Amino acid sequence: MPVYIIVEGKNDKSKLRRVLNDEVEILCTFGTLNTLKLEQLRRKIRDEETYLFLDNDSSGKRIRGILRDAFPDAGHIYTRRGYAGVEGTPDEYIIQQLEKAGLEEYIVYPPASF
C-alpha cells in the first residue's frame, strides 16, 4: 500500500527524499494549486495513506487548507516556525515529525556518529 506526502516544491521533495525510502511517494504542488493540479493529485492518490507537509507561512497554510478539504483523512506534519520552510528544516527535526506521524518504517536514519 503506497504512502504519499504532499509538499510545495522540488527542494522540499529533495529534502524529504534524503530521509525517506522509495516506498513513500513525494508529490509537489509547486507552490500553486489550481483545479487541474488538485484533480491530478486526487486521481493519483485516491484513498491511499496521505500526509501533508507544507511550509509554516501564509502560502503553505493556504495550500494546506485547500488540501485538507480535498484529502480530509490526510495526516498533517508540521515544521517549526522560524525554519525556512520544509527545505530549511534540520533533518533531525524532520525525522522527529515523521516519527510522530507514525512513519518510522519508511525513515532512512543517518548513520550514528561516534
Side-chain angles (χ1 to χ4, degrees):
M1 180 162 76
V3 172
Y4 294 93
I5 297 180
I6 301 174
V7 298
E8 287 179 73
K10 65 180 186 204
N11 293 335
D12 299 339
K13 180 177 181 175
S14 296
K15 180 74 170 187
L16 285 182
R17 182 52 57 212
R18 293 197 325 235
V19 297
L20 288 167
N21 67 31
D22 292 335
E23 292 178 64
V24 177
E25 188 158 352
I26 303 167
L27 305 174
C28 297
T29 66
F30 298 106
T32 60
L33 205 51
N34 58 30
T35 306
L36 176 63
K37 182 69 178 174
L38 195 55
E39 194 52 44
Q40 288 171 339
L41 288 170
R42 272 198 201 117
R43 271 199 305 274
K44 181 153 188 90
I45 295 171
R46 293 187 219 130
D47 292 327
E48 302 297 343
E49 188 174 359
T50 305
Y51 295 86
L52 309 178
F53 196 179
L54 304 157
D55 294 349
N56 194 2
D57 60 12
S58 60
S59 174
K61 289 176 182 177
R62 182 183 58 76
I63 292 170
R64 185 183 295 273
I66 295 167
L67 291 171
R68 182 183 295 125
D69 292 342
F71 301 99
D73 296 330
H76 293 267
I77 304 172
Y78 295 90
T79 188
R80 185 180 288 162
R81 236 184 244 131
Y83 290 146
V86 173
E87 71 182 85
T89 300
D91 289 352
E92 301 79 33
Y93 189 80
I94 288 176
I95 288 170
Q96 287 174 1
Q97 296 309 303
L98 293 169
E99 288 172 340
K100 213 183 275 188
L103 296 171
E104 298 92 341
E105 69 183 280
Y106 303 105
I107 297 172
V108 177
Y109 290 94
S113 55
F114 297 98

